[in-house]
Amino acid sequence: MIKIDTSELDQLQSKLEKLDGTHEVKLSDLMTNSFVQEHSSFSNWQEFSDAGGIIDDEDFEKPEFSAFIAAHTSFEGYEEMVNEAAKEWAVAQLS
């Protein structure tokens, strides 16, 4: 008989259970430096959002910012970029 250590699977299951449901995550936690660097020519989220003309939170939803994202990333706009960042955030929570 072979013994199998499933403790890592138990830890993964626990992390999955914590991840289940709805979470409020700061935009700055989604848009990590590595995410911004991977998907644009900018170094960080502050630099990216400043260049995109973001002054307050309402500016994120403006068509001009989505156009900026489309011009400077492979994303079509803000919603697509945030969705991808959220996926990467979720995967990172499992490690």
Side-chain angles (χ1 to χ4, degrees), residues 9 11-21 93-94:
L9 291 175
Q11 290 172 0
L12 179 59
Q13 182 177 359
S14 175
K15 289 178 182 181
L16 282 168
E17 288 170 358
K18 288 178 185 175
L19 195 57
D20 188 32
Q93 301 312 299
L94 299 176

Side-chain angles (χ1 to χ4, degrees), residues 13-78:
Q13 182 177 359
S14 175
K15 289 178 182 181
L16 282 168
E17 288 170 358
K18 288 178 185 175
L19 195 57
D20 188 32
T22 303
H23 300 270
E24 289 189 26
V25 181
K26 291 184 209 174
L27 190 57
S28 60
D29 290 340
L30 292 179
M31 301 298 178
T32 63
N33 291 347
S34 60
F35 179 85
V36 173
Q37 291 166 8
E38 180 180 342
H39 296 285
S40 76
S41 62
F42 295 91
S43 299
N44 58 56
W45 179 244
Q46 187 65 54
E47 182 183 302
F48 185 87
S49 58
D50 286 348
I54 299 300
I55 296 170
D56 57 44
D57 289 346
E58 294 168 3
D59 293 337
F60 289 115
E61 300 292 333
K62 290 184 176 178
E64 296 85 2
F65 188 57
S66 279
F68 175 81
I69 289 171
H72 295 280
T73 71
S74 60
F75 301 111
E76 291 182 19
Y78 178 71

